Amino acid sequence: MAPLAAAPEEAIAPVRPTSASAVLTTSSPSLARANVLRGGDALATMILTYALPLLVLTSTGSTMLTGLVFAAEWMPRLGALAGGGALVDRYGAARLFRTANAARALLTVLAIPVLSTHSPHSATAIGAVVVLGAACGGLAELSFLSAETTGAGLSLRAGPQAHRIQAWQIGIDQGAMLVGPLLGGLLLLAGGRTMLTAVAALSVTAMLVHPAPAFRPGPAATATTAGLRTGWRTLRTLPALGVLVAGLAASNFASGLLQASAPITVTHTFDRHPATVGVIWSAAAAAMLAATALCRRLIDRFGLWPIGATAAAFASVACMAAALAPALPLYTVLVALLMAAEGVMGVVLRTMRVHLIPAHAFGSTLSVTVLLVVAPMPAAGLLVAAVPAPLLPGLVACCALLQATALALCFVGLRHHMVSAPRTSSSKEPAHP
């Protein structure tokens, strides 16, 4: 695997496919299957992520419980990420993906009778929502690791089209983000049972799609601790990957805080109906989807680093401005600009990450990097639960400054490694199915 390219004007030296016939195109049947399974899984995850806190807020009116539900959804994801990479390396992405979606479908079906027989604001119903969010949050990360590993395998086989494959994958995630919040809000109008039934159906659909394996399961990690050790060891030996992960983590913290506080901002600051939150995030996802599609041509022309650095600057400015927005229309536009910039930045950094992580330990290393990147999300939920609503704008603004600093250091570090890292042809090629 080649490191970041030696010349400033080059982005990344792509991993060469083993033969000309191995080059994957965006019309490949393997990519089509990967897109279908990722789409169903991502849509189910987005519906739960946005609908469960909204269900608690509309049922109880408590901002503290809303923040706690958001944190409860994210904290188990850290544990799932800790062991998920080892499971991917050992059992394969396809098997783990199907298992995680089957378990989520079962849990949502089991939760339906509880919501049917108890009042939405009862302790039993709220407890069931918290437990369901926690369990499905962990399962979502297992399915995400599996889908991401499948996408990484396709990217490595795509050679110089790697960033286009990543753009397709991120586009699917953002398409789910576009439809998920709005669909979740509409389903909640029909009741929590209807929403859970839809999530179960999407999980079953994703489970029934059988993608081509990304990498062959191997002995790189036979236990959770072994997988974590492998991932940490790989991360420590790759400085460029370290600065990339630090930048993504700081950006996630700022956007996660904005996401967790959005229901409170909309209802308390702007005095609008909670369903407006779904409209805001759907509009943001539409902007992100359009930016992700456009960035493929921009990267082809200008390279990964310039486009990524520009997107990082826009993301930081938009996050700061959204925190201080005086009216809902401006807030909506700024959130859309933030998400569009993060979508472009995601394409850039995830393409770099695919080429930096060795194929023989991809699952374990990806697990550690994603663990570090999503760790700020539950912290964001706990902060929202602890901080009074009037102080949230100032908190988001401070975190936007942290985001700007971290992203600046990230892209300066990546630029340094792009200039100084020598090319190598001795890295291992990925194992193709």
Side-chain angles (χ1 to χ4, degrees), residues 39-364:
D41 175 71
L43 185 56
T45 297
M46 285 297 106
I47 291 175
L48 286 178
T49 298
Y50 287 94
L52 291 183
L54 190 59
L55 176 62
V56 171
L57 181 63
T58 55
S59 300
T60 67
S62 171
T63 59
M64 183 185 72
L65 284 175
T66 302
L68 288 177
V69 169
F70 184 87
E73 286 184 297
W74 278 99
M75 291 180 70
R77 298 187 179 201
L78 305 183
L81 287 171
L87 295 175
V88 169
D89 285 340
R90 184 175 185 182
Y91 297 109
R95 183 186 300 180
L96 185 61
F97 182 88
R98 289 193 293 269
T99 302
N101 273 276
R104 179 168 56 191
L106 178 62
L107 286 173
T108 52
V109 168
L110 291 177
I112 291 175
V114 178
L115 295 183
S116 301
T117 56
H118 293 82
S119 172
H121 54 77
S122 67
T124 302
I126 294 172
V129 169
V130 172
V131 171
L132 178 66
C136 289
L139 292 171
E141 290 306 321
L142 292 179
S143 62
F144 170 77
L145 282 174
S146 303
E148 190 75 357
T149 302
T150 299
L154 296 174
S155 296
L156 291 175
R157 292 168 58 194
Q161 290 194 57
H163 67 277
R164 290 180 170 267
I165 301 298
Q166 285 297 309
W168 268 102
Q169 299 281 284
I170 293 176
I172 291 168
D173 291 344
Q174 301 322 310
M177 195 175 189
L178 168 63
V179 178
L182 187 59
L183 182 58
L186 292 175
L187 290 171
L188 280 179
L189 294 177
R193 292 169 294 176
T194 304
M195 182 266 292
L196 293 178
T197 301
V199 170
L202 287 168
S203 299
V204 171
T205 300
M207 179 185 67
L208 295 178
V209 179
H210 297 276
F215 304 105
R216 294 191 186 101
T222 57
T224 297
T225 54
L228 288 176
R229 285 196 301 269
T230 300
W232 279 111
R233 185 166 56 248
T234 305
L235 182 62
R236 288 198 306 268
T237 60
L238 297 171
L241 184 60
V243 298
L244 185 153
V245 169
L248 278 175
S251 183
N252 253 17
F253 182 68
S255 59
L257 194 62
L258 191 67
Q259 177 182 330
S261 63
I264 301 169
T265 301
V266 169
T267 56
H268 287 243
T269 303
F270 301 129
D271 194 26
R272 298 299 179 92
H273 192 276
T276 307
V277 178
V279 177
I280 291 172
W281 286 107
S282 292
M288 196 173 189
L289 188 61
T292 302
L294 177 63
C295 79
R296 286 176 286 180
R297 293 185 178 274
L298 295 176
I299 292 172
D300 285 339
R301 181 172 182 180
F302 298 106
L304 281 168
W305 191 92
I307 298 302
T310 302
F314 272 99
S316 300
V317 172
C319 187
M320 169 70 75
L324 306 175
L328 182 63
L330 180 59
Y331 178 82
T332 302
V333 170
L334 290 169
V335 169
L337 179 60
L338 167 65
M339 299 306 291
E342 288 200 342
V344 175
M345 189 172 60
V347 172
V348 171
L349 294 181
R350 284 165 63 168
T351 302
M352 290 182 174
R353 184 178 65 184
V354 163
H355 288 88
L356 284 169
I357 300 176
H360 68 277
F362 189 89
S364 299

